[in-house]
Amino acid sequence: MKNTGRILIASIGIVGASAAQGDQCADLGLVVSAPTDALETLICESASEAVELFERCNVPAFRPPLHIEVVDELPEGCLGVFHCGESRIDVLSPEHLETHRNPESAFAFLTAEDYFRSIVVHELAHAGFDTLNCPIESCIASDEYVAYNMQVMFLSPDQQAQFAAQGETGETVSRDQISAAILFMAPDLFVQRAWAHLQQREDPCGYIGLITDGDIILDRERYTGP
């Protein structure tokens, strides 16, 4: 179902104090574990912007309290992980992100900080989607469609244009071109198609709402390939 609630964000005074940062994250329903106050601030600010984006675009609010922890290591290929049913997100620090990110990925043009912020938003979208009921065996394609599109929508207009220029520009993308199989075999292709497909909708945020309401399910199969 759509998120119709409003999460109020309290204004913060002096940014430098760790207690103030903790209060800011608490107002968002978050508990953040980060090695520095600056990184905690970055997560809180990103989450605050994400909450406003999700409200505008019909992405459900996550269940508080949600714990976000900055870690030095994740399973290979992972830069951030939402642990389903555990209200917990792990994300690599910007420094470790630089050594693990794919230099040829669809997001390679972003700075480490901007990429880190977008990953936080991506995982928060997963946390919101986790509040929904999937009527079939798996809704992973729908879940990732929403999370990746929120990740790109979070970027600046110039960054969005740079991202879009790498994809299948000018080509109409159908729902048949978005699947769990593509997600696992070619994740960059999946996110590029997902963004192009959403931008071709007359009302992108309305389309996201149809997905989160359960009126549209992008999944047709559960991918169990290699």
Side-chain angles (χ1 to χ4, degrees), residues 42-183:
L42 192 65
I43 292 171
C44 292
E45 290 175 346
S46 302
S48 177
E49 292 178 38
V51 166
E52 295 180 358
L53 171 61
F54 295 172
E55 288 176 349
R56 293 196 308 269
C57 224
N58 301 306
V59 176
F62 54 80
R63 295 188 186 99
L66 177 64
H67 187 188
I68 300 180
E69 183 173 3
V70 178
V71 298
D72 294 337
E73 188 175 355
L74 284 173
E76 181 151 356
C78 294
L79 304 176
V81 176
F82 168 68
H83 298 272
C84 299
E86 296 183 27
S87 294
R88 181 166 63 91
I89 290 171
D90 292 334
V91 60
L92 287 178
S93 67
E95 293 77 15
H96 285 84
L97 185 62
E98 276 298 271
T99 62
H100 288 82
R101 66 193 295 192
N102 180 355
E104 297 181 355
S105 78
F107 295 99
F109 67 94
L110 293 175
T111 65
E113 182 174 301
D114 284 345
Y115 193 26
F116 174 83
R117 282 164 49 83
S118 76
I119 291 170
V120 169
V121 174
H122 181 111
E123 300 306 331
L124 287 171
H126 280 315
F129 201 91
D130 194 49
T131 66
L132 306 176
N133 293 320
C134 177
I136 58 176
E137 186 178 5
S138 172
C139 289
I140 189 169
S142 300
D143 187 356
E144 291 292 351
Y145 180 94
V146 171
Y148 271 123
N149 274 313
M150 290 304 100
Q151 183 176 359
V152 180
M153 200 172 288
F154 177 76
L155 303 178
S156 71
D158 286 345
Q159 289 171 331
Q160 289 177 12
Q162 194 169 351
F163 175 88
Q166 304 174 91
E168 301 167 342
T169 56
E171 296 184 14
T172 299
V173 179
S174 70
R175 282 172 58 176
D176 290 339
Q177 294 174 279
I178 300 168
S179 69
I182 295 296
L183 170 66

